[in-house]
Amino acid sequence: MNTKNKTLLFLLLISSSLFSCKKYLEVSPYDTIPDETTIYDRSSAEAAVRGAYRGLASLNYGSAFQNTILQSGGDIKSLNNAQTDLNVINYDLRSDIAFLSTYWGNFYNTINRTNHIIEKVPLVTDNKLGNDLKNQLLGEAYAIRALSYFDLARVFGNVQIFLTPTNVVADKLGVKQSTQAEVFAQVLEDLNKAEPLLPTTIVRNRITRSTAVALRARLYLYQKKYTEAEADINTVLANPGYKLIKPFNLAAGTSESVLELSYSVNDVNAGYAQWNTSNRALEPKAVIHNLLNDPAVGGDRKILSVKNAAGQFIGGIYPTNTSAGYIIRTAELFLNRAEARVLKTVPDLSGAIADINAVRVRSSVPEISASLNKDEVLLAIENERRVEFALEPFRWFDLVRTGRAPAVLNLNDPNKYIFPIPAGEIIADPSLVQNPGYGRN
């Protein structure tokens, strides 16, 4: 490309970026267009952060990802009967299955967006971008990167860590994979950086200080840091803006929403079609439908699975194609704290039972007994999470994290608790090492 053509392309890209936040993030190719033009003032910095949120909503938590994780949890079935669905439900994944490459690429796409923000926003000298807003945007980027790496490590285990922008393909090659524990340590570092930068206000569809603390508490459960998890949850729940509401209903825009993903007519929630249309892909199995519709178990949560005139079970989490998606809800904080209270060095069973009962009472379900022992309380937490998050991608990760996959899913091969590294990635970068049990295919 000659100099004149480069200049024309540059001007066209800058002009079009005024109309779409995506353009600030999709300047391509990076080796011909200087990337510093993508974030250069307040408007472009804010647009870049919006683009990172869109990455979460449309890439990381796209319908296909939820489809796979929900099926893996055993309570949701696919209506497609495709070979890939059979691979999922039989825990027989192959590294050459296309959706694995999609998930891998989606996570890293969002991570790269945040890396651009983290590198470039501090360099912006626009007087309209004050320090408070600059800190907020950086805090949001750190937290989005943390969440992306957290999920990437939960899915694939040992993955590469990139903390600077990937501008050309060569930037990705030859970077040694980090262990899942090392990735979680990076997640913690990012959340710790994010916390003081973020505002203390409550915004349900943007990351604030309380959001980062709540996400850190979730991470602590995976790291078995139970005292720290309880302390973080106590901090969040001390804010009256985060509480359970009765009767149970979808959390969007309420005090039960800690972080939700926004959708619009221009950026629809693809999960809606998974549950609701005539060509829907997912359906609650009879076992979870019956639990949700049992007054002693599901209570008001019966709205999550209803039977239509044809006798089919319809999932009710996304009533419209602009319904919010959920990253973390207040009910999770109560159940996370219950688990932390049981498992910390000096258990607090009464406190854990109180947390479980808070969720159950809100759902019009009878309280559990105050005389349960430690193992019984842990099982009560597992059962409550199964119903509370029936249509959210929790159960697979919960059963793997707590070591309950063999008993509940009859899955005794620990190699299957993480997915294979996509074959295409290994072909492109031979330095990548395949996860145990998957060979090279």
Side-chain angles (χ1 to χ4, degrees), residues 133-184:
L133 179 55
K134 183 178 288 189
N135 285 340
Q136 177 185 337
L137 299 180
L138 283 172
E140 288 175 285
Y142 277 119
I144 292 171
R145 185 171 77 178
L147 181 56
S148 299
Y149 269 123
F150 176 67
D151 287 331
L152 185 67
R154 288 200 295 176
V155 173
F156 294 106
N158 305 330
V159 300
Q160 298 161 298
I161 295 177
F162 301 101
L163 301 180
T164 57
T166 299
N167 295 318
V168 294
V169 173
D171 294 340
K172 296 178 59 179
L173 302 180
V175 175
K176 182 181 178 182
Q177 290 155 275
S178 297
T179 66
Q180 187 183 68
E182 289 169 338
V183 179
F184 284 166

Side-chain angles (χ1 to χ4, degrees), residues 285-431:
K285 289 183 179 178
V287 62
I288 194 66
H289 172 84
N290 292 337
L291 288 173
L292 286 165
N293 284 269
D294 184 339
V297 178
D300 296 328
R301 291 172 292 199
K302 63 186 178 182
I303 65 172
L304 294 176
S305 183
V306 299
K307 185 182 292 187
N308 65 13
Q312 300 165 320
F313 303 141
I314 306 298
I317 190 169
Y318 304 131
T320 72
N321 65 3
T322 59
S323 295
Y326 303 108
I327 301 295
I328 190 166
R329 299 193 283 113
T330 308
E332 186 194 346
L333 297 182
F334 277 90
L335 296 176
N336 285 355
R337 186 170 66 180
E339 184 176 332
R341 284 173 164 173
V342 174
L343 294 174
K344 66 182 182 177
T345 303
V346 180
D348 175 12
L349 296 186
S350 62
I353 291 169
D355 281 337
I356 299 168
N357 283 334
V359 175
R360 290 175 67 84
V361 168
R362 169 288 244 120
S363 305
S364 302
V365 173
E367 297 184 6
I368 63 171
S369 170
S371 62
L372 297 182
N373 63 34
K374 180 178 179 179
D375 289 340
E376 290 169 334
V377 175
L378 286 174
L379 183 58
I381 294 169
E382 178 184 304
N383 290 336
E384 202 63 37
R385 292 178 73 92
R386 181 184 189 183
V387 176
E388 179 68 29
F389 308 119
L391 306 189
E392 298 169 68
F394 275 79
R395 186 158 172 79
W396 164 250
F397 293 126
D398 285 344
L399 295 175
V400 169
R401 172 178 61 83
T402 59
R404 290 276 293 158
V408 177
L409 301 176
N410 194 31
L411 182 58
N412 296 294
D413 183 356
N415 290 332
K416 302 300 183 182
Y417 298 163
I418 55 175
F419 294 177
I421 305 297
E425 297 297 327
I426 293 178
I427 292 171
D429 186 356
S431 69

Side-chain angles (χ1 to χ4, degrees), residues 268-280:
V268 300
N269 184 344
Y272 167 78
Q274 296 276 76
W275 296 102
N276 296 282
T277 65
S278 58
N279 293 321
R280 69 190 193 284

Side-chain angles (χ1 to χ4, degrees), residues 215-274:
L215 290 170
R216 188 171 63 196
R218 181 192 286 180
L219 170 67
Y220 281 146
L221 289 186
Y222 282 74
Q223 295 181 313
K224 302 186 186 306
K225 297 179 179 179
Y226 302 116
T227 300
E228 293 90 336
E230 181 184 22
D232 271 354
I233 295 169
N234 287 342
T235 297
V236 178
L237 292 181
N239 187 326
Y242 301 108
K243 60 184 179 181
L244 297 166
I245 56 174
K246 186 175 182 180
F248 172 86
N249 208 331
L250 298 180
T254 74
S255 62
E256 288 223 22
S257 174
V258 180
L259 178 62
E260 62 188 54
L261 300 172
S262 295
Y263 298 92
S264 68
V265 293
N266 295 318
D267 289 293
V268 300
N269 184 344
Y272 167 78
Q274 296 276 76

